[in-house]
Amino acid sequence: MSLHYEVVFNCFLRRDTPEPVLAALRWHLELDRERPADLDPGIHTFPLLAPDPDSRLPGGDIASLRLQSRGFAAGGELRAWGLLSRNYWLDDDLGELVTILDLLAPHVEEPGFGGYFREEYDTEPTIFTFRNGGYGPFTF
């Protein structure tokens, strides 16, 4: 019997995140249907963050990527790409987390919390963090 996981990505990406990274995220979130031509199908095998309309998670899956305000500074409004994704994954797919973490890590706006995953009946999530262009240690 397979285990199931709630997988959540919740972070800001820098406003200057390269368009190929944003295009890859939009494809993974199924905000764009066409796989970007420069996206390696050997690594990005299928849209990992696509919301399932029949998800078993309370409230369902979520997929959002938008340029949003982070407040104001002397130079004007601060804006960043807000990513929120919540999906229901099979344990067989959990190794694919690395695909998304590798895509996000170099572009995260601020170090710290980036999301979590947890087995559907666990009360304690495994948190992942971003720092210095990489992501924090965790185990499956």
Side-chain angles (χ1 to χ4, degrees), residues 22-102:
L22 295 172
L25 279 172
R26 285 191 293 267
W27 179 76
H28 276 291
L29 293 161
E30 280 194 348
L31 299 174
D32 288 342
R33 294 285 182 191
E34 296 294 320
R35 177 195 307 270
D38 60 347
L39 199 60
D40 183 349
I43 296 171
H44 301 268
T45 55
F46 60 94
L48 293 167
L49 305 176
D52 178 355
D54 296 322
S55 174
R56 293 185 356 197
L57 289 173
D61 288 4
I62 298 168
S64 177
L65 177 66
R66 64 188 182 103
L67 191 59
Q68 60 189 100
S69 178
R70 300 273 335 262
F72 294 88
E77 186 176 19
L78 303 173
R79 296 178 63 80
W81 290 99
L83 170 66
L84 175 59
S85 171
R86 177 179 182 240
N87 301 92
Y88 192 66
W89 287 27
L90 283 169
D91 56 353
D92 292 345
D93 296 331
L94 215 51
E96 297 291 337
L97 275 174
V98 172
T99 301
I100 301 299
L101 291 167
D102 285 345

Side-chain angles (χ1 to χ4, degrees), residues 98-111:
V98 172
T99 301
I100 301 299
L101 291 167
D102 285 345
L103 186 66
L104 298 177
H107 310 288
V108 170
E109 171 113 315
E110 296 177 5

